[in-house]
Amino acid sequence: MFSHNVTYVFRPGGVALPDIPVVHRWPEWTLRGISQVVFQNNWLTGLIILGAIFYNSWVYGVACLVGTVTSTVTAVLLKADRNMVKAGLFGFNGALLGIGLNAFMSQNFTNGELPSWRLYLYIVLGAAFTAVVFSALLTAFRPFDIPALTAPFVIAAWLFIFAVVRFAHLPPGPLLTPGLPSPVQGAGDQYTWTTWYQGIGKGVGEIFFQDNWIIGFLIVLGILVNSRISAGMALLGSVLALATAIVLGAPESMVRGGLFGFNAALTAIALGGFFYVLTVRGFLYTIFGILVTTWVWAAISVALSPIGMPAFTSAFVIVTLLMLFAKGFFPGLVPVATEDATT
Amino acid sequence: MFSHNVTYVFRPGGVALPDIPVVHRWPEWTLRGISQVVFQNNWLTGLIILGAIFYNSWVYGVACLVGTVTSTVTAVLLKADRNMVKAGLFGFNGALLGIGLNAFMSQNFTNGELPSWRLYLYIVLGAAFTAVVFSALLTAFRPFDIPALTAPFVIAAWLFIFAVVRFAHLPPGPLLTPGLPSPVQGAGDQYTWTTWYQGIGKGVGEIFFQDNWIIGFLIVLGILVNSRISAGMALLGSVLALATAIVLGAPESMVRGGLFGFNAALTAIALGGFFYVLTVRGFLYTIFGILVTTWVWAAISVALSPIGMPAFTSAFVIVTLLMLFAKGFFPGLVPVATEDATT
Amino acid sequence: MFSHNVTYVFRPGGVALPDIPVVHRWPEWTLRGISQVVFQNNWLTGLIILGAIFYNSWVYGVACLVGTVTSTVTAVLLKADRNMVKAGLFGFNGALLGIGLNAFMSQNFTNGELPSWRLYLYIVLGAAFTAVVFSALLTAFRPFDIPALTAPFVIAAWLFIFAVVRFAHLPPGPLLTPGLPSPVQGAGDQYTWTTWYQGIGKGVGEIFFQDNWIIGFLIVLGILVNSRISAGMALLGSVLALATAIVLGAPESMVRGGLFGFNAALTAIALGGFFYVLTVRGFLYTIFGILVTTWVWAAISVALSPIGMPAFTSAFVIVTLLMLFAKGFFPGLVPVATEDATT
């Protein structure tokens, strides 16, 4: 029925845990949920990523846990398919929503602050809502055998965060400042070695809203535990996006912050070996997707600038969905057989 | 074929009228069209609502009639299914478009002014266009057995009203003023008893753009004639939305104006007993939908503020559609069997 | 499988070329691609249009060729259906993207400037991306037997051009200036004979971004070579849109520039005889579509004004798609049998 998604489910996914009662499986489900953000179904990958987030900011670590558990609990209460729950499929959008709302509502984006009780409740309901949007999108895409990616997170996050402007008790963070877009002037000359290594690391780290280049490389390490291809693709996506942004003359601070990279890194993992076999055409198609994602992130951030709202992973979602929906007309591409996905 | 919508059709729907020739059925079809805005298929409900609108403003009463008749006539001319026409299914989006465009183009939103002949023609074509959009969305949603809700009204209204800025002979009303959004400051302390009773009433009244709390309670009465559950849900939606807006610190004038409530009231009717059986889970799911709709209205109004345009019932449409599309993955929810809808 | 589109393919399409090797068919495929923008599958139509563009600006002629060839090559490399390629179906969105991006990034919109190498690369990748979006939309619309129209061009063009604000080496042209919309004041009195003949011509010319009324009439001539109905509809759409804009009091410069007309002209061709048989109802439905498209163009241009971006042919796409999706519920309309389309 929802064949593709079941595929995530039945892969072994790293070290098997000993047979333990259902209640004690919650940690495993949660860790798999976190690892599904980067298309891995492996609790160890999730543990490494969660550890890296905690290392950067315990506030964000808690937000990640709260988001993942809430969206998973919502699915369980509504009696969703248990195999999908076990695979963390109802968790990964909640994980991102938890950290994302916390981060953009904090005065200090890099380290975050513990939300007020109202904001925490808001975040919990947002994470729960990702489970609803996830199910809705799976239903709509089912006839085409296309995954929802992180669209549930993006949609829920937008529907929740746009509104805070109207509520005195949900004061937005300083990054949420509206303004008409104006063209960049005279950039392109001040890129340094720092731009490169920090930008590449943060290009992976910003997937989880971590403004810390070391965390980015730790996340790559976490992916590597489960898949060399995915780890390589995450790096390739971040590197190519950074190079593209530099060639086109993007502002150095944005490049160094990894802002052009985190969507591209996800597109790279998705197209490069996960949903398409890495043939020559498949590889070139992935490169193409990485480049396009780089400026589509910029495009959406520009479109949202009059209301001062963030693009999240919408560029990855839009570009990857289009490039997946196109498969039926392009026999030159080889879709990955569902039972073999992410090896 | 379009099973769900036919369901509206064959329900008895209040007092049966004596058998009269087709031309004389037009008043009945029109009144049913008005009642379908709040998910009722009952000419008496429509009559009470229409009377309430006329009581508030004869201009809006006329606009409501013109809109309903125009969109229904359009469907008849294009030979749409007669049972759907009889049930008022081609009328309710036209009803809303008629009042909505009239109201936001008036200098005085509360009472309205008779439009110029150009604006009236524009409104008539807009109402006709809702019939087209309704058919288009039904086609797209048919594979999923999902209704179009008031999406045809929202889409047609946006496509028509955004444009008036470019036409000297269609001067926009004062509420259509563009501006970058800025966070609410220091609200949350001046709510009074007036905020509550007016806000709850207007939260229902604004469904029909009636800035009058008494009209809101009359509309609830009209719904009560056909369904106690729907009437109770409309009230619950408006009350909960108002309470939510107060807890989050929304501006008192907006809360008192019912702006946070009219989308939530519709979501409440739709999810609470109409499309889902009111089990414990169904009830909690409805509460969840009401809360989310409250701030999604705010979110969309923020998104549209740079062009100064209204959100209409888009929040209800988006949240309810997502929560209906999700049903296939949540066996914990019981969809209402189509032949039993709205009892 | 994709029945509708194959229909374009097997029609004779003008003068047959002698049997020549595949490599030498490229010019034919390219010319057919250009003619498909206006729903014709005829290399002579394409040649006349291309000649008219070159007559106005060799820069735009080159951009049109580069765009058409790139998107077609992309489809060939990904092994798309050869009959679709031959019919120019992978080319027309690339043609529009090539000229469109070149024009809006030029300091002088009317004549254009040769892009920098970075911008040219950007345009080439954009044209390639239209082939991906085309395939994606065909997949999504396939269950409904609905065409993608120029939606691939609009989506790709938006995703690419919104982003240039962030890149110092892709400086936007002067038309891409953000600003909050403000209502037109006191227009409606200065229309002259010049407004009419230039506006009608440019209303067709702007389909290909040609700000030159003579080119518009040459394009009509090109269409006439293949279809009298389509040529007449293109003119009718442009004339009616211009008249509508004048009745509503649109700014004279915009009316004279054909801005209200180019979307309406495309809607007219699509609905008037191409996708629906020209019965009385079909003709009135087409008139309705022309009127609505006129102000929907204005609506979308208003919606995009805070980021200063162009509407392209989105109004045509939205209105025509809605009016095509609606067909299943309106037996009063007669869809054109696929094998008879565009005669």
Side-chain angles (χ1 to χ4, degrees):
Chain A
M1 210 167 181
F2 28 84
S3 60
H4 183 85
N5 302 285
V6 173
T7 98
Y8 297 66
V9 174
F10 295 112
R11 289 182 312 97
V15 185
L17 288 180
D19 204 7
I20 47 178
V22 165
V23 279
H24 297 165
R25 303 300 290 259
W26 272 96
E28 186 198 339
W29 299 355
T30 304
L31 293 176
R32 286 186 193 272
I34 295 168
S35 72
Q36 286 285 11
V37 171
V38 284
F39 294 96
Q40 312 305 311
N41 179 7
N42 186 315
W43 65 267
L44 187 54
T45 300
L47 185 64
I48 294 172
I49 292 174
L50 184 64
I53 295 172
F54 263 103
Y55 171 77
N56 187 46
S57 158
W58 68 268
V59 171
Y60 289 160
V62 171
C64 180
L65 279 176
V66 168
T68 314
V69 170
T70 303
S71 57
T72 306
V73 166
T74 305
V76 169
L77 289 180
L78 292 167
K79 302 191 178 174
D81 180 82
R82 191 54 57 100
N83 281 324
M84 292 175 69
V85 171
K86 281 184 190 168
L89 291 178
F90 282 98
F92 68 99
N93 285 287
L96 290 179
L97 190 128
I99 318 176
L101 250 62
N102 194 344
F104 278 99
M105 298 293 282
S106 294
Q107 289 304 309
N108 178 341
F109 181 92
T110 302
N111 300 111
E113 298 121 35
L114 209 59
S116 68
W117 70 265
R118 285 184 179 90
L119 181 54
Y120 236 131
L121 194 63
Y122 202 67
I123 288 173
V124 163
L125 291 172
F129 200 61
T130 63
V132 172
V133 183
F134 180 72
S135 301
L137 292 182
L138 279 197
T139 301
F141 294 167
R142 201 192 285 173
F144 311 102
D145 192 24
I146 298 276
L149 305 177
T150 56
F153 151 62
V154 173
I155 292 172
W158 277 347
L159 291 178
F160 277 58
I161 205 169
F162 286 9
V164 299
V165 173
R166 293 272 187 263
F167 300 122
H169 297 316
L170 297 177
L175 294 179
L176 305 180
T177 304
L180 297 184
S182 63
V184 176
Q185 301 294 340
D189 44 3
Q190 69 276 57
Y191 307 116
T192 65
W193 175 234
T194 315
T195 314
W196 280 85
Y197 74 82
Q198 293 205 355
I200 293 170
K202 291 185 180 179
V204 177
E206 285 288 353
I207 294 174
F208 290 90
F209 305 96
Q210 301 307 299
D211 181 31
N212 181 322
W213 63 274
I214 299 173
I215 307 304
F217 290 113
L218 289 177
I219 292 171
V220 173
L221 195 73
I223 300 173
L224 191 62
V225 166
N226 191 55
S227 162
R228 281 167 303 172
I229 293 178
S230 291
M233 282 296 159
L235 269 183
L236 180 69
S238 186
V239 169
L240 261 184
L242 184 136
T244 304
I246 284 178
V247 167
L248 295 176
E252 195 272 344
S253 65
M254 296 175 81
V255 177
R256 182 162 33 85
L259 297 184
F260 289 92
F262 69 104
N263 278 275
L266 288 171
T267 299
I269 303 175
L271 298 179
F274 192 91
F275 293 115
Y276 288 117
V277 175
L278 266 185
T279 58
V280 173
R281 275 191 185 78
F283 182 70
L284 293 176
Y285 198 66
T286 303
I287 301 286
F288 184 36
I290 292 169
L291 297 185
V292 173
T293 302
T294 304
W295 47 75
V296 169
W297 173 80
I300 297 169
S301 81
V302 167
L304 292 171
S305 58
I307 56 170
M309 292 294 163
F312 295 123
T313 53
S314 56
F316 149 63
V317 167
I318 292 171
V319 173
T320 303
L321 281 184
L322 287 170
M323 296 185 83
L324 290 177
F325 263 92
K327 66 186 171 190
F329 284 84
F330 292 148
L333 299 170
V334 186
V336 169
T338 46
E339 60 273 21
D340 301 331
T342 63
T343 40
Chain B
M1 213 168 178
F2 29 84
S3 61
H4 184 84
N5 301 284
V6 173
T7 97
Y8 296 67
V9 174
F10 295 113
R11 289 183 312 97
V15 185
L17 289 180
D19 203 6
I20 47 178
V22 164
V23 278
H24 299 165
R25 303 302 291 259
W26 272 96
E28 187 198 337
W29 299 356
T30 305
L31 293 176
R32 286 187 192 272
I34 295 167
S35 72
Q36 287 285 10
V37 170
V38 285
F39 294 96
Q40 312 305 312
N41 179 8
N42 185 316
W43 65 267
L44 188 53
T45 299
L47 186 62
I48 294 173
I49 292 174
L50 183 64
I53 295 172
F54 263 103
Y55 171 78
N56 187 48
S57 158
W58 70 268
V59 171
Y60 290 160
V62 172
C64 180
L65 279 175
V66 168
T68 314
V69 171
T70 304
S71 57
T72 306
V73 166
T74 305
V76 170
L77 289 180
L78 292 167
K79 303 191 177 175
D81 181 80
R82 192 53 56 98
N83 282 325
M84 293 176 70
V85 171
K86 282 184 192 169
L89 291 178
F90 282 98
F92 69 98
N93 286 288
L96 290 179
L97 190 128
I99 319 176
L101 249 63
N102 194 343
F104 278 100
M105 297 294 282
S106 293
Q107 288 303 309
N108 178 340
F109 181 91
T110 303
N111 301 113
E113 298 120 36
L114 209 59
S116 68
W117 70 267
R118 283 184 179 91
L119 181 54
Y120 237 132
L121 195 63
Y122 202 66
I123 288 173
V124 163
L125 291 172
F129 200 61
T130 63
V132 172
V133 183
F134 180 73
S135 303
L137 292 183
L138 280 197
T139 302
F141 294 168
R142 201 191 284 174
F144 310 103
D145 192 24
I146 298 277
L149 306 177
T150 57
F153 151 62
V154 173
I155 292 171
W158 278 346
L159 291 178
F160 277 59
I161 205 168
F162 286 8
V164 300
V165 173
R166 294 270 187 265
F167 299 122
H169 297 317
L170 297 177
L175 294 178
L176 304 180
T177 305
L180 297 185
S182 63
V184 176
Q185 301 294 341
D189 46 1
Q190 69 276 58
Y191 307 116
T192 66
W193 176 234
T194 315
T195 314
W196 281 84
Y197 75 80
Q198 292 205 357
I200 292 169
K202 290 185 180 179
V204 178
E206 285 287 355
I207 293 174
F208 290 89
F209 304 96
Q210 300 308 299
D211 182 31
N212 181 322
W213 63 273
I214 300 173
I215 307 305
F217 290 112
L218 289 176
I219 291 170
V220 172
L221 195 74
I223 300 173
L224 191 62
V225 166
N226 192 55
S227 163
R228 282 168 301 173
I229 292 178
S230 290
M233 281 297 160
L235 270 182
L236 180 68
S238 186
V239 170
L240 261 184
L242 185 135
T244 303
I246 285 178
V247 167
L248 295 177
E252 195 273 343
S253 65
M254 295 175 82
V255 177
R256 182 162 33 85
L259 297 183
F260 289 93
F262 70 105
N263 277 276
L266 287 171
T267 299
I269 304 175
L271 297 180
F274 192 91
F275 292 116
Y276 287 118
V277 175
L278 265 185
T279 58
V280 173
R281 274 191 185 79
F283 182 70
L284 293 175
Y285 198 65
T286 304
I287 300 286
F288 184 36
I290 292 170
L291 297 185
V292 173
T293 303
T294 304
W295 48 74
V296 168
W297 174 82
I300 297 168
S301 82
V302 167
L304 292 171
S305 58
I307 56 170
M309 291 295 163
F312 296 122
T313 54
S314 56
F316 150 64
V317 168
I318 292 171
V319 173
T320 304
L321 281 184
L322 287 170
M323 296 185 82
L324 290 177
F325 263 93
K327 66 186 170 191
F329 284 84
F330 292 149
L333 299 169
V334 185
V336 170
T338 48
E339 60 272 19
D340 302 330
T342 63
T343 41
Chain C
M1 211 167 180
F2 30 84
S3 60
H4 183 85
N5 302 284
V6 172
T7 100
Y8 295 68
V9 175
F10 295 113
R11 288 181 312 95
V15 185
L17 290 181
D19 204 7
I20 46 178
V22 165
V23 280
H24 298 163
R25 303 301 292 259
W26 271 96
E28 187 199 339
W29 300 356
T30 304
L31 292 176
R32 286 185 193 271
I34 294 168
S35 73
Q36 288 284 12
V37 170
V38 286
F39 294 96
Q40 312 306 311
N41 179 8
N42 185 315
W43 66 267
L44 188 54
T45 300
L47 185 64
I48 294 173
I49 292 174
L50 184 64
I53 295 172
F54 263 103
Y55 171 77
N56 188 47
S57 159
W58 69 268
V59 171
Y60 290 160
V62 171
C64 179
L65 278 176
V66 167
T68 314
V69 170
T70 304
S71 56
T72 306
V73 166
T74 305
V76 169
L77 289 180
L78 293 167
K79 301 190 178 174
D81 180 81
R82 192 52 58 98
N83 281 325
M84 293 176 69
V85 171
K86 281 182 190 170
L89 291 178
F90 282 99
F92 68 98
N93 285 288
L96 290 179
L97 189 129
I99 318 177
L101 248 63
N102 194 342
F104 279 100
M105 299 293 283
S106 293
Q107 289 303 310
N108 178 341
F109 181 92
T110 303
N111 300 112
E113 299 121 34
L114 209 60
S116 68
W117 70 266
R118 284 185 180 89
L119 181 54
Y120 237 131
L121 194 63
Y122 202 66
I123 289 173
V124 163
L125 291 172
F129 199 61
T130 64
V132 172
V133 184
F134 181 72
S135 302
L137 292 183
L138 279 197
T139 301
F141 293 169
R142 202 192 284 174
F144 310 101
D145 192 25
I146 298 278
L149 307 177
T150 56
F153 150 62
V154 174
I155 292 171
W158 277 347
L159 291 178
F160 277 58
I161 204 168
F162 286 9
V164 300
V165 173
R166 294 270 187 265
F167 299 122
H169 297 316
L170 298 177
L175 295 178
L176 305 180
T177 305
L180 297 185
S182 64
V184 175
Q185 300 296 338
D189 46 2
Q190 68 277 56
Y191 308 117
T192 66
W193 175 235
T194 315
T195 315
W196 281 86
Y197 74 81
Q198 292 205 353
I200 293 169
K202 290 186 180 178
V204 178
E206 285 288 353
I207 294 173
F208 290 90
F209 305 95
Q210 300 306 299
D211 182 30
N212 182 321
W213 65 273
I214 299 172
I215 307 305
F217 291 112
L218 289 177
I219 291 170
V220 173
L221 196 73
I223 300 174
L224 191 62
V225 167
N226 192 55
S227 162
R228 283 166 302 171
I229 293 178
S230 290
M233 282 296 159
L235 269 182
L236 180 69
S238 186
V239 170
L240 261 184
L242 185 135
T244 303
I246 284 177
V247 167
L248 295 177
E252 195 271 345
S253 65
M254 294 174 82
V255 177
R256 182 162 33 85
L259 298 185
F260 289 92
F262 69 103
N263 278 274
L266 288 171
T267 299
I269 303 175
L271 298 179
F274 193 90
F275 292 115
Y276 287 118
V277 175
L278 265 186
T279 59
V280 173
R281 274 191 185 77
F283 182 69
L284 293 176
Y285 198 67
T286 303
I287 301 287
F288 185 37
I290 292 170
L291 297 185
V292 174
T293 303
T294 304
W295 47 74
V296 169
W297 173 81
I300 297 168
S301 82
V302 167
L304 292 171
S305 59
I307 56 169
M309 291 294 164
F312 295 122
T313 54
S314 55
F316 149 64
V317 167
I318 291 171
V319 174
T320 303
L321 281 184
L322 288 170
M323 296 185 82
L324 290 177
F325 263 94
K327 66 185 172 190
F329 284 84
F330 293 149
L333 299 169
V334 186
V336 170
T338 47
E339 59 273 22
D340 301 330
T342 63
T343 41

